[in-house]
Amino acid sequence: MTAIDPDIPLDITEASPITLGPWALVWRKFKRHRLAYFSGIVVLFIYAVAIFGEFLTPADPLKTSTRSTFAPPQGIHLFVTEADGSRRFQLHAKGLTMKLDKVAMRRTYEPNENKIIPLGFFVRGYEYKILGLFPSRTHLFGPTKPRDTVYFWGADRLGRDLMSRIIIGTRVSMSIGLVGVLVSLVVGVLLGGVSGYYGGWADTLIQRLIEFLRSIPTIPLWMGLAAAIPLDWPPLRTYFVVTIIVSMIGWTSLAREVRGKFLSLRNEDFITAARLDGLNDAEVIVKHMVPSFSSHIIASLTLAVPLMILAETSLSFLGIGLQPPIVSWGTLLKEAQNIRSIIEAPWLLIAPGTTIVLAVLALNFLGDGLRDAADPQAH
């Protein structure tokens, strides 16, 4: 038997295990979902584009040019060939020469090899306000000469730069999703919480209201509500009303989820203990019931954002949502409604359509990842 030296201190304490809170566990599981993690980065990039839209636009989105109607996309070239045959590095785009086909009555464009439009970073262009506060003329990328215009994604029927208009439209379309989801969050949690917590006649009344709203065909309901918007309203007021219209249906599904959760939680031991501790109903709901499934609410709202965006796009495409001069992805898609525009300028459909698909997919993948991370039963 080995003798114990009394001069040597004994360490009889074991290393305590590392405990993580619920949000840390959700974040750890979310990071393992590679597709959702990458989609989250894409969504952050899209909202950064929405915030700093004017700085990222290569041209004035409202500037028209009758000589550039349906101008095709122009590529970026890296080297310029000198007169002696040597080549030097220079970011540039080649100008376009417009020709009128009098037989087909349409314009055609050909690259002009002799016209070089230099491109650069942090160039000067049209004046705007950073975050609506500080005036500036600096743009991230574009022609070095302010009088030049390059159509990287083509031009529309009025000769406006489509890429700049899509960037500016990101702000409206993506913010409608956020504002619409915020309205749905407040209404859905409030009515769903009252329905599930109190039950009785309040539950019956709210559930019948939800069933009535969900039974109405969506498009006719939107058309009827949008027809009530006066045509002389300013764009900001129209934007607000369209957001409310889009949110009319979105809150019903969240309210039902909140009701089901409240029904299962209201008889739990920790809720009974909170009541016995003297908390009133509002404090029980806000401090205990809602936080217990807040991660699920966040995941549900993330999945609802793309639905709001598609709803705004559908309304504007049908002509019953936002109208020019407001620029959104839906109003840009409206430019591609007729066959002639698609034949002569397919980029009017491809560019905004691809942008919408990428944004909706990224938001859906992000929502799926958050839902899986917030689900304690998911592996």
Side-chain angles (χ1 to χ4, degrees):
M1 184 174 180
T2 305
I4 300 176
D5 189 347
D7 296 330
I8 300 177
L10 294 178
D11 186 8
I12 61 175
T13 60
E14 297 181 358
S16 60
I18 299 175
T19 58
L20 297 177
W23 290 109
L25 291 173
V26 169
W27 173 244
R28 173 180 286 187
K29 292 179 65 175
F30 176 75
K31 286 196 298 183
R32 294 174 183 169
H33 199 305
R34 298 291 181 84
L35 183 58
Y37 189 75
F38 176 75
S39 298
I41 296 174
V42 173
V43 170
L44 290 177
F45 172 77
I46 292 174
Y47 277 106
V49 170
I51 294 172
F52 302 103
E54 290 83 1
F55 171 68
L56 299 174
T57 53
D60 187 347
L62 302 178
K63 180 183 177 182
T64 61
S65 175
T66 55
R67 294 189 58 84
S68 300
T69 300
F70 294 145
Q74 297 171 256
I76 300 175
H77 303 272
L78 302 179
F79 296 95
V80 175
T81 303
E82 302 289 356
D84 58 358
S86 61
R87 303 179 69 189
R88 63 180 175 86
F89 178 80
Q90 170 67 65
L91 281 175
H92 70 280
K94 295 179 180 178
L96 297 174
T97 300
M98 187 269 292
K99 294 183 179 179
L100 181 61
D101 187 347
K102 296 183 179 180
V103 177
M105 296 301 295
R106 57 182 297 183
R107 300 183 181 192
T108 59
Y109 294 87
E110 296 179 358
N112 188 346
E113 301 291 340
N114 298 322
K115 184 179 181 181
I116 302 299
I117 303 176
L119 303 175
F121 291 92
F122 302 103
V123 297
R124 291 183 62 80
Y126 72 96
E127 185 175 355
Y128 65 95
K129 289 187 177 181
I130 301 175
L131 302 177
L133 300 173
F134 312 106
S136 176
R137 286 184 173 271
T138 303
H139 298 264
L140 177 63
F141 185 74
T144 56
K145 299 178 181 179
R147 66 174 180 273
D148 292 332
T149 301
V150 178
Y151 303 102
F152 295 110
W153 290 357
D156 63 6
R157 59 186 177 87
L158 297 179
R160 297 171 295 193
D161 181 41
L162 185 60
M163 180 180 181
S164 300
R165 292 178 65 78
I166 289 177
I167 292 174
I168 295 300
T170 303
R171 179 176 301 161
V172 174
S173 295
M174 295 300 289
S175 62
I176 270 192
L178 284 182
V179 176
V181 161
L182 181 62
V183 174
S184 299
L185 171 65
V186 174
V187 178
V189 172
L190 178 62
L191 295 183
V194 170
S195 179
Y197 187 80
Y198 292 104
W201 65 268
D203 182 28
T204 302
L205 181 63
I206 293 174
Q207 293 308 306
R208 299 295 83 77
L209 173 63
I210 292 175
E211 291 170 1
F212 172 74
L213 289 175
R214 294 177 70 90
S215 66
I216 301 175
T218 305
I219 297 297
L221 174 63
W222 286 343
M223 293 177 66
L225 293 173
I229 301 177
L231 298 177
D232 57 347
W233 274 14
L236 184 61
R237 189 184 303 174
T238 304
Y239 168 83
F240 176 76
V241 172
V242 169
T243 304
I244 298 300
I245 292 173
V246 169
S247 307
M248 286 288 293
I249 305 297
W251 67 269
T252 55
S253 58
L254 179 61
R256 282 191 164 179
E257 294 176 3
V258 173
R259 172 184 178 268
K261 199 68 177 179
F262 272 43
L263 286 174
S264 63
L265 288 177
R266 65 181 183 179
N267 295 323
E268 292 288 336
D269 292 340
F270 74 98
I271 298 299
T272 304
R275 292 197 191 100
L276 294 176
D277 200 33
L279 273 66
N280 57 37
D281 291 343
E283 291 175 330
V284 170
I285 292 174
V286 174
K287 293 182 179 180
H288 295 279
M289 299 186 76
V290 173
S292 65
F293 63 105
S294 56
S295 58
H296 176 77
I297 293 177
I298 293 174
S300 300
L301 293 179
T302 307
L303 289 170
V305 172
L307 298 179
M308 296 288 182
I309 295 173
L310 290 175
E312 180 275 324
T313 302
S314 303
L315 285 174
S316 300
F317 178 77
L318 294 174
I320 57 178
L322 300 175
Q323 300 295 328
I326 299 178
V327 182
S328 72
W329 291 344
T331 58
L332 293 176
L333 272 181
K334 191 179 179 183
E335 296 284 336
Q337 273 188 328
N338 59 77
I339 300 298
R340 179 175 177 270
S341 297
I342 297 177
I343 293 175
E344 293 189 15
W347 50 87
L348 294 179
L349 175 64
I350 295 173
T354 303
T355 305
I356 293 171
V357 169
L358 290 176
V360 170
L361 284 177
L363 285 164
N364 276 320
F365 290 144
L366 174 62
D368 286 338
L370 287 174
R371 181 179 58 191
D372 294 342
D375 185 4
Q377 303 299 326
H379 299 287

